[in-house]
Amino acid sequence: MIQRAVTISAPHGLHTRPAALLVKAAQDFPCTITVLSQGRQASAKSLFRLQTLDLRYGTEITLQAEGEQAEQAIDRLSDMLSDLK
């Protein structure tokens, strides 16, 4: 299992449009990818589930991946989250 902490840096948080981009990127990988935030978790491959986490600016999350291409998935998704403005 691969894990990485990331802080949401987008001023408006992870609203629908960037969340949809994250989901699309996550779906490119065969592994299981989970986003953990404030004691809750959601699949990174489900837009609906991600939106239930209320990912606002400054929120620290943990990306967790397990399975084939887990490290590549974490690298790509954490880079995406860091680049959001």
Side-chain angles (χ1 to χ4, degrees):
M1 180 181 307
I2 307 292
Q3 292 186 338
R4 184 170 303 153
V6 179
T7 300
I8 304 295
S9 61
H12 300 291
L14 200 64
H15 57 86
T16 305
R17 187 168 25 98
L21 294 173
L22 187 75
V23 168
K24 185 172 174 29
Q27 290 173 342
D28 288 343
F29 295 95
C31 56
T32 301
I33 308 168
T34 305
V35 177
L36 297 99
S37 175
Q38 302 171 19
R40 298 181 305 174
Q41 66 181 23
S43 169
K45 297 181 180 186
S46 169
L47 181 59
F48 175 75
R49 296 283 184 205
L50 272 183
Q51 290 181 314
T52 66
L53 296 180
D54 193 28
L55 302 175
R56 298 173 186 237
Y57 173 80
T59 302
E60 184 173 289
I61 65 170
T62 300
L63 295 173
Q64 188 177 75
E66 187 170 11
E68 187 179 339
Q69 298 182 353
E71 190 168 350
Q72 295 94 326
I74 293 296
D75 288 343
R76 183 162 169 206
L77 298 182
S78 62
D79 287 346
M80 285 183 73
L81 288 168
S82 297
D83 290 341
L84 291 175
K85 302 292 178 214

